[in-house]
Amino acid sequence: MQTTTMSMSAATDWIVRCRDWLDERGKGAWIAAIVAGFIVFWPIGLGLLLYMIGSKRMACKAWGRKNRHAVSGATGNAAFDSYRAETLKRLEEERDAFMSFLEELRQAKDRAEFDQFMARRSGGGNAA
């Protein structure tokens, strides 16, 4: 029982050392390890790829910083924030007006098609 615990501990230590070694060398080393894993035995490459995605080691840090303001809504500049809020409100109002306009067009088209159908039906089907 103790032998299996020691061997699992040694295997875990080896995996942790490999992970730390790859982390020291950066994303290029991780990508090379994934490619090598796919070449040697595809489940190894797949496992490394899933580990990289799950551990967020392949996340682009610049993208997270760049889009943080878009998610939070505030830039820190009061004048720009109020301008943006007014512009977004105006755009939403225009979108709502346009959607109601489209709905009116659909209703008018449906009404015209129905009137045409009723005219054909009452005319005995002679109209083409």
Side-chain angles (χ1 to χ4, degrees):
M1 184 79 160
Q2 191 172 5
T3 312
T4 16
T5 306
M6 271 193 220
S7 65
M8 285 183 59
S9 174
T12 304
D13 289 342
W14 182 79
I15 291 172
V16 169
R17 283 194 316 261
C18 288
R19 182 198 62 202
D20 293 341
W21 185 83
L22 287 170
D23 280 342
E24 289 172 6
R25 279 142 187 86
K27 287 183 183 178
W30 277 104
I31 293 171
I34 291 170
V35 170
F38 273 112
I39 291 171
V40 172
F41 186 58
W42 70 267
I44 293 172
L46 183 62
L48 284 171
L49 180 63
L50 292 174
Y51 175 75
M52 290 293 293
I53 293 170
S55 67
K56 301 207 177 10
R57 280 179 164 72
M58 293 303 273
C60 181
K61 292 179 177 99
W63 186 87
R65 283 193 304 268
K66 182 172 61 174
N67 291 323
R68 185 178 318 144
H69 295 299
V71 173
S72 68
T75 62
N77 185 329
F80 177 75
D81 288 342
S82 66
Y83 166 77
R84 183 174 63 179
E86 291 170 11
T87 303
L88 289 174
K89 182 180 176 187
R90 182 181 51 81
L91 287 172
E92 287 177 16
E93 290 171 355
E94 288 180 8
R95 184 197 65 203
D96 292 342
F98 182 68
M99 294 304 283
S100 66
F101 172 73
L102 286 178
E103 184 60 32
E104 290 174 13
L105 282 178
R106 286 186 195 106
Q107 288 176 0
K109 180 182 174 193
D110 290 346
R111 198 170 26 251
E113 288 174 351
F114 179 73
D115 290 344
Q116 184 181 13
F117 168 74
M118 290 304 287
R120 281 186 186 169
R121 187 169 177 232
S122 65
N126 293 339

